[in-house]
Amino acid sequence: MGVTILAIESSCDDTGAAVCVDGKILSNIIANQAVHEKYGGVVPELASRAHLQNIVPVVDTALKISGYALTDIDAIAFTQAPGLIGSLLVGAQFAKSLSLALNKPLIAVNHMQAHVLANLIATEKPTFPFLCLTVSGGHTQIVLCEAPTKMKVIGETIDDAAGEAFDKTAKLLGLPYPGGPLIDKYAAGGNAKRFQFPEPKIEGLNFSFSGLKTSILYFLQNAGTSNVFKEIFMASPEEKQQFIDGNLADICASVQYRIVSILMNKLKKAAQQTGITDICIAGGVSANSGLRKAFKETGDQLGWKTFIPAFEYCTDNAAMIAITGYYKFLQNDFVSLDVSPMPRAGFDN
Ligand code: KG4
Ligand code: ZN
């Protein structure tokens, strides 16, 4: 008999459930929450209420599609950290209740570790040790992964995450939340060399995106006449809007080019320092077409073996929690019912 894991993801604004048998994903269901769009970001209280409404139908559908019943499940995996505490609590309580009712072990999963292990879902997997650039709305990390349950962060952002840089730029451009996919879409028709945004000079393998955000803010306030750090307000709101409307594709392409170059330069440095050539990307921003292209091209140039999870496993999903749960199950890495979700948590182990 194989190992059957039911996984639950509720760290932010997506409610997910998945079933996997021996590391093979049989179902992966996600309920997105449109309620946050009009607020320009995730509202924690609304997110946890929506999780409460979604969790039963999402788990039910994941089980139905997999063809497995609750009684067939060997263990329940859930996202313990990091995330919004109210959101995490809904998934954690649900997983604990199932564990108690079914008398099945409980597995606590770190969401960021799971993003990395999403690269182990496909049949063609990276070999250990591999590097993973994890880029999401809340995190930007370079992870050295030595085994499914042994990984450490060797570089990370000291301020904003890459996804935040995309989303905040989109907000400055008047685009709805989350703006990352829209910047990607408009960038496709733009000239990435038209506007130059600065690359921060950060030592080592860490990232910084807050300076880029400020330079974009001033650039737009000055209607494109200057992108230096000057607090001069030259353009009227109408002039600014006119400038954005007339140059949207080029602005998006130029911003995307800079975000991607910041990410790729650090990833190249990490590969050079570690001598590792099996390299992955993960997290919601790995859906970005500019990043995917640069990643593949750099990999070809430098002789890397490159891996990108299928699109549905890049953004938040429960399949990545299930695959991580599977590897933890093999290690007998279970937790007791008094485990608590944590809004912040590292995972060096
Ligand atoms: O991993 P994820 O689904 O959720 C978090 O754990 O944060 O990542 C969401 C982030 C958002 O910032 C979103 O704008 C960004 O991923 N994103 C993209 C694209 N698709 C999603 N950013 C740029 N280009 C995209 N195509
Ligand atoms: Zn995520």
Side-chain angles (χ1 to χ4, degrees):
M1 260 303 263
V3 174
T4 307
I5 306 285
L6 169 66
I8 293 165
E9 152 66 27
S10 71
S11 63
C12 190
D13 60 337
D14 298 316
T15 320
V19 174
C20 99
V21 176
D22 285 341
K24 187 167 179 285
I25 303 299
L26 299 189
S27 62
N28 181 38
I29 303 300
I30 195 97
N32 307 113
Q33 303 178 0
V35 64
H36 307 286
E37 246 169 56
K38 59 176 177 283
Y39 299 101
V42 176
V43 183
E45 176 62 20
L46 295 180
S48 38
R49 278 192 223 169
H51 282 305
L52 282 170
Q53 284 165 350
N54 293 340
I55 197 148
V56 172
V58 164
V59 169
D60 201 37
T61 310
L63 284 165
K64 277 202 184 99
I65 289 178
S66 74
Y68 281 71
L70 266 182
T71 44
D72 301 323
I73 299 299
D74 293 308
I76 297 116
F78 72 100
T79 306
Q80 183 198 8
L84 299 170
I85 190 65
S87 293
L88 289 167
L89 272 166
V90 178
Q93 283 310 119
F94 197 83
K96 284 187 202 183
S97 312
L98 282 179
S99 165
L100 184 66
L102 301 169
N103 195 24
K104 298 288 177 184
L106 191 62
I107 301 170
V109 172
N110 179 293
H111 179 90
M112 297 311 295
Q113 252 181 346
H115 268 305
V116 173
L117 295 188
N119 283 288
L120 300 186
I121 292 174
T123 29
E124 208 186 322
K125 304 180 197 330
T127 44
F128 296 100
F130 65 80
L131 290 179
C132 183
L133 171 70
T134 315
V135 270
S136 71
H139 295 84
T140 299
Q141 301 179 327
I142 300 177
V143 176
L144 169 58
C145 189
E146 291 177 275
T149 51
K150 190 167 192 290
M151 55 179 99
K152 68 173 178 213
V153 177
I154 58 170
E156 64 189 326
T157 183
I158 57 168
D159 42 54
D160 289 350
E164 251 177 308
F166 274 109
D167 295 339
K168 286 179 177 173
T169 302
K171 200 168 181 179
L172 292 172
L173 292 170
L175 301 173
Y177 177 86
L182 288 170
I183 297 216
D184 192 1
K185 187 178 130 195
Y186 292 120
N191 173 4
K193 298 280 163 68
R194 169 107 184 270
F195 303 114
Q196 268 84 48
F197 296 104
E199 176 148 6
K201 296 191 175 30
I202 305 292
E203 292 286 308
L205 298 176
N206 285 342
F207 302 89
S208 168
F209 289 99
S210 65
L212 176 64
K213 180 189 64 191
T214 312
S215 79
I216 295 165
L217 175 73
Y218 291 153
F219 168 80
L220 294 175
Q221 280 183 344
N222 295 322
T225 55
S226 162
N227 64 353
V228 292
F229 287 77
K230 273 195 246 160
E231 258 184 281
I232 40 169
F233 188 81
M234 282 168 50
S236 67
E238 292 75 26
E239 282 171 324
K240 184 180 145 194
Q241 196 52 51
Q242 224 175 13
F243 172 71
I244 292 173
D245 293 344
N247 299 280
L248 187 61
D250 288 351
I251 299 170
C252 289
S254 302
V255 170
Q256 179 167 299
Y257 170 84
R258 178 52 73 216
I259 295 174
V260 169
S261 87
I262 294 171
L263 294 170
M264 286 310 303
N265 284 342
K266 293 292 179 156
L267 189 56
K268 279 192 261 184
K269 201 169 183 176
Q272 199 185 17
Q273 280 181 10
T274 57
I276 291 172
T277 52
D278 272 41
I279 309 206
C280 311
I281 52 175
V285 181
S286 62
N288 181 266
S289 48
L291 178 60
R292 292 169 96 94
K293 187 161 170 273
F295 179 60
K296 288 273 178 211
E297 282 173 2
T298 307
D300 289 345
Q301 273 165 18
L302 300 178
W304 297 349
K305 244 179 124 183
T306 53
F307 302 84
I308 309 177
F311 185 79
E312 62 178 316
Y313 306 136
C314 282
T315 49
D316 284 352
N317 66 88
M320 68 185 194
I321 308 301
I323 192 92
T324 309
Y326 168 66
Y327 285 106
K328 288 193 146 200
F329 185 97
L330 297 182
Q331 304 275 324
N332 288 320
D333 188 352
F334 303 121
V335 290
S336 61
L337 286 172
D338 58 8
V339 65
S340 299
M342 292 182 290
R344 270 179 251 283
F347 60 77
D348 282 1
N349 50 28

